[in-house]
Amino acid sequence: MYKNNKYTILIPLIVALSLAAGIWLSGMVFRNTPSSGRSSELIPGTGKINMLLSLIENRYVDTVSMDSLTEKMMPLILEELDPHSTYIPAKELASVNESMDGEFDGIGVMFNMATDTVIVLNVVPTGPSDKAGILGGDRIITINDSIIAGVNMNQNEVMKRLRGPRGTTVKLGIQRGGVKELIPITVTRGIIPINCITAAYMIRPDTGYVVFAQFSRNAHRELVAVVDELKNQGMKKLILDIRGNPGGFLDQAILISNEFLPAGKMIVFTKDRSGAQTKQFSNGQGRYQDMDIDILIDEHSASSSEILAGALQDNDRGTIIGRRSFGKGLVQEQIPFSDGSAVRLTVARYYTPTGRSIQKPYSSGIDDYFNELETRYEHNEYFSADSIHFDDSLKYTTESGRIVYGGGGIMPDIFVPADTSDITPYYTKVYARNLLYKYTIEYSDRHRQELNNITSIGELDAFFAKDPGLFDGFVQYAARNGVTPVTADINRSKALMLAQLKAYIGRNTPLEENAFYYELQHVDNVVVQALNHPDILAKP
């Protein structure tokens, strides 16, 4: 079985999304409203810092850039606090914020650079590139008359050249199959949404599947829209996949939790340095109070993801499936400085309804804190729930009598181990050389017209049914590229490799990520468990 996730070690990170640039939020959850802070003159201990800076500026033997010195000092101070208090330089603030704001200015394409050439996978419907006539499968050879293909230009530089303020233009030189010369296309940049929902479709006639990527500013609105659409298609049960979701805005986690809870249920409470508590309860207006729900989590589900999972688990509402979550129970506020930089400062801890803090320890330092996931792997936790040992002093009980633990993430109700049974030496070789993906590029080019016209899962199934030789073609391609066939390994890894091939090809259709996840669902052991587990919350 196989979990497709941008954090997994099993699939290479090969798709560059110009739709979703930014940094990983390290399990960020923060409030929308920044605090005012206090003047440094009133804070004990800062006199020595100010005096040192004054001495350096006025008496140090060499000329020193005080701005540069301050920029280096800020992160060092915050590192002494906790792993999630961070300093954001002015030049980085816009890109850091955009993934949480839910939009940016650009041309609206999804692309990859697997072959040192920008290959357009898809364009945002009705977006700037779509309006300008760019198609899936196009290669971007030049940007504003500068060649970017075959020159080892990195992805960030390409994105920098493609992006720009809305209303400005960028001139592209496009290479398209069947056309010898470059096609000049000028695109007027516009607003490009960054969606919280990666995929949403009916995985069974009565069951919807939603991949939920982050809790940005529009998360609640987006989720309600897709869930309502799936309900219109007959959904009675929801599988909400928040594996790899690093968190985001606290208020969005509260609003989403409220949709699934009856009135008067605690969702979360926070506690600040003075012990003052702020409690959040459901209001009874939730649209999905009676809907069956499974929440899928893993070690990269953090902060707001853990608030949602904890709220439903502690209220005996839904089933949590997967592996233990990250363990981040700190709340940040983003506080701006006059120079355009900002600090995200931890101002409170949050607690699940039973009163548990799921924050894992960080007293050993930042490196050990973030390397703790590797420690879990070394201790066999990804493969056996019995390897996880909780402190009995951190044991809590839900209303129905279920035992839950604090002190280090959300432990799922149903543990599903990582499955590496399909990983063979042959698979490892084709993976290391990125041959699975490279083959799908060539394949998609040969079938570009057909793929661009696929608009439903049924049409996708019919397309693959017409080509039973897809997998054999890949094996021959891999052999031509230096990987000798090994029959036993190929037979063992075939289901995994064929699913990946179809997923990558499906992503080249207008179905995009829906096709990608659809093709992988039957080799994803967590999804399979969600589809087949008994209802552990059923009344006797």
Side-chain angles (χ1 to χ4, degrees), residues 247-296:
F249 286 116
L250 174 63
D251 67 326
Q252 297 299 299
I254 293 169
L255 288 170
I256 291 170
S257 299
N258 182 70
E259 296 292 352
F260 297 95
L261 294 171
K265 296 294 184 179
M266 183 180 288
I267 295 173
V268 68
F269 68 93
T270 60
K271 188 183 298 184
D272 65 17
R273 63 184 294 172
S274 68
Q277 295 186 18
T278 301
K279 299 180 179 180
Q280 301 290 339
F281 293 88
S282 55
N283 61 15
Q285 303 299 311
R287 297 167 174 82
Y288 318 119
Q289 297 179 45
D290 298 322
M291 180 181 291
D292 290 340
I293 181 171
D294 289 340
I295 302 287
L296 311 188

Side-chain angles (χ1 to χ4, degrees), residues 188-231:
T188 301
R189 298 180 178 100
I191 300 174
I192 309 301
I194 300 176
N195 295 322
C196 300
I197 306 303
T198 303
Y201 61 90
M202 294 298 291
I203 198 168
R204 282 183 176 170
D206 64 345
T207 303
Y209 175 64
V210 174
V211 181
F212 183 22
Q214 62 179 358
F215 288 79
S216 65
R217 199 177 305 278
N218 300 321
H220 173 250
R221 178 173 55 81
E222 283 188 39
L223 185 64
V224 166
V226 299
V227 173
D228 283 349
E229 174 59 30
L230 293 177
K231 281 186 66 178

Side-chain angles (χ1 to χ4, degrees), residues 90-342:
K91 64 182 180 180
E92 298 176 10
L93 187 60
S95 62
V96 169
N97 282 341
E98 69 182 14
S99 64
M100 301 307 299
D101 290 338
E103 65 180 35
F104 68 91
D105 292 349
I107 69 169
V109 297
M110 177 188 291
F111 69 86
N112 74 68
M113 297 183 63
T115 59
D116 198 22
T117 299
V118 175
I119 303 174
V120 176
L121 297 180
N122 277 295
V123 298
V124 174
T126 72
S129 291
D130 189 19
K131 293 176 181 178
I134 293 177
L135 304 174
D138 284 349
R139 270 71 166 165
I140 300 177
I141 306 302
T142 63
I143 300 177
N144 289 330
D145 297 322
S146 295
I147 295 176
I148 64 166
V151 296
N152 295 316
M153 184 175 291
N154 66 49
Q155 172 188 321
N156 289 335
E157 179 61 26
V158 171
M159 294 174 68
K160 179 181 178 180
R161 296 187 183 205
L162 291 175
R163 290 190 175 191
R166 65 194 68 175
T168 61
T169 60
V170 57
K171 181 181 176 182
L172 306 179
I174 299 297
Q175 182 184 79
R176 181 172 295 167
V179 181
K180 292 183 178 180
E181 65 277 2
L182 288 184
I183 303 171
I185 296 180
T186 299
V187 182
T188 301
R189 298 180 178 100
I191 300 174
I192 309 301
I194 300 176
N195 295 322
C196 300
I197 306 303
T198 303
Y201 61 90
M202 294 298 291
I203 198 168
R204 282 183 176 170
D206 64 345
T207 303
Y209 175 64
V210 174
V211 181
F212 183 22
Q214 62 179 358
F215 288 79
S216 65
R217 199 177 305 278
N218 300 321
H220 173 250
R221 178 173 55 81
E222 283 188 39
L223 185 64
V224 166
V226 299
V227 173
D228 283 349
E229 174 59 30
L230 293 177
K231 281 186 66 178
N232 291 337
Q233 298 177 38
M235 180 178 67
K236 305 298 182 184
K237 174 183 176 179
L238 171 64
I239 298 174
L240 186 61
D241 192 343
I242 55 174
R243 289 174 293 178
N245 185 319
F249 286 116
L250 174 63
D251 67 326
Q252 297 299 299
I254 293 169
L255 288 170
I256 291 170
S257 299
N258 182 70
E259 296 292 352
F260 297 95
L261 294 171
K265 296 294 184 179
M266 183 180 288
I267 295 173
V268 68
F269 68 93
T270 60
K271 188 183 298 184
D272 65 17
R273 63 184 294 172
S274 68
Q277 295 186 18
T278 301
K279 299 180 179 180
Q280 301 290 339
F281 293 88
S282 55
N283 61 15
Q285 303 299 311
R287 297 167 174 82
Y288 318 119
Q289 297 179 45
D290 298 322
M291 180 181 291
D292 290 340
I293 181 171
D294 289 340
I295 302 287
L296 311 188
I297 65 172
D298 67 5
E299 55 277 0
H300 295 287
S301 305
S303 69
S304 293
S305 293
E306 294 170 300
I307 291 173
L308 173 60
L312 298 190
Q313 186 177 55
D314 284 11
N315 284 295
D316 299 306
R317 179 72 176 91
T319 303
I320 314 299
I321 302 173
R323 294 190 296 276
R324 181 162 65 106
S325 64
F326 182 85
K328 193 271 186 181
L330 304 175
V331 180
Q332 285 72 45
E333 285 187 356
Q334 182 165 304
I335 304 166
F337 294 117
S338 59
D339 67 348
S341 62

Side-chain angles (χ1 to χ4, degrees), residues 4 8 51 67 97 130 162 168 185 361 467 521 524 533 537:
N4 171 62
T8 185
M51 183 176 179
D67 288 341
N97 282 341
D130 189 19
L162 291 175
T168 61
I185 296 180
D467 187 6
Q521 66 190 28
D524 184 336
H533 75 86
L537 297 176

